[in-house]
Amino acid sequence: MKFFRELEPDIHLGVGALETEQDGRDWVAEYDALLARGRAMVVIVREGDRPQPGAGKPMVLWMKARKAELGRLVAATVFIFEDEAERQAMELALPGRAKASPYPMVLATSEADALDKARQRLQTAGTAGAMA
């Protein structure tokens, strides 16, 4: 995969620059492949890995179309913000962003912190699934 690297089972790190519309379509295809597995998962994203406008359009349309599936299978997206000021700004923006998101969004200070939080979210998702 070009845009996702599995760090641990069902924990994926978003990688690669999303610059063009083709990048956005490729990202969508890869994310579809992850969802097709039908298992709870967590995606970790670094603070600087925001898609450029060209890549964003197919991604946004895809996310709107897959909202229910994303809500069911994505235990969380964990955003790594090593810079404290950036993290605080995101903390302030998070409640508004959470309203539009079908899955929980979590902030982390490092990749190690993100992995810990991802493991916790997967464990919680597994427990919830077992109870359902």
Side-chain angles (χ1 to χ4, degrees):
M1 291 192 147
K2 179 179 176 182
F3 294 109
F4 295 95
R5 186 181 75 201
E6 190 168 50
L7 299 176
E8 293 181 6
D10 302 318
I11 299 175
H12 305 276
L13 176 65
V15 295
L18 293 158
E19 297 174 350
T20 67
E21 190 169 335
Q22 185 59 52
D23 289 341
R25 287 192 295 266
D26 292 345
W27 180 91
V28 163
E30 289 182 17
Y31 214 130
D32 269 337
L34 295 174
L35 292 175
R37 298 176 327 158
R39 298 191 315 254
M41 66 178 186
V42 174
V43 176
I44 297 173
V45 180
R46 292 185 184 107
E47 68 183 273
D49 292 342
R50 293 187 180 104
Q52 298 301 310
K57 183 177 180 181
M59 296 167 73
V60 168
L61 294 173
W62 174 86
M63 291 182 101
K64 286 180 181 180
R66 299 282 192 286
K67 194 169 187 170
E69 190 174 16
L70 289 165
R72 185 173 52 84
L73 295 174
V74 180
T77 293
V78 181
F79 295 93
I80 302 172
F81 282 89
E82 292 178 354
D83 181 83
E84 187 174 341
E86 293 273 335
R87 191 173 52 259
Q88 288 177 349
M90 182 61 157
E91 283 176 1
L92 291 174
L94 206 55
R97 291 183 71 171
K99 289 179 185 177
S101 178
Y103 45 77
M105 293 184 281
V106 178
L107 302 181
T109 58
S110 66
E111 191 169 314
D113 183 34
L115 271 170
D116 286 342
K117 290 179 177 183
R119 290 178 192 126
Q120 291 170 7
R121 288 293 176 156
L122 279 177
Q123 185 176 16
T124 300
T127 303
M131 298 171 118

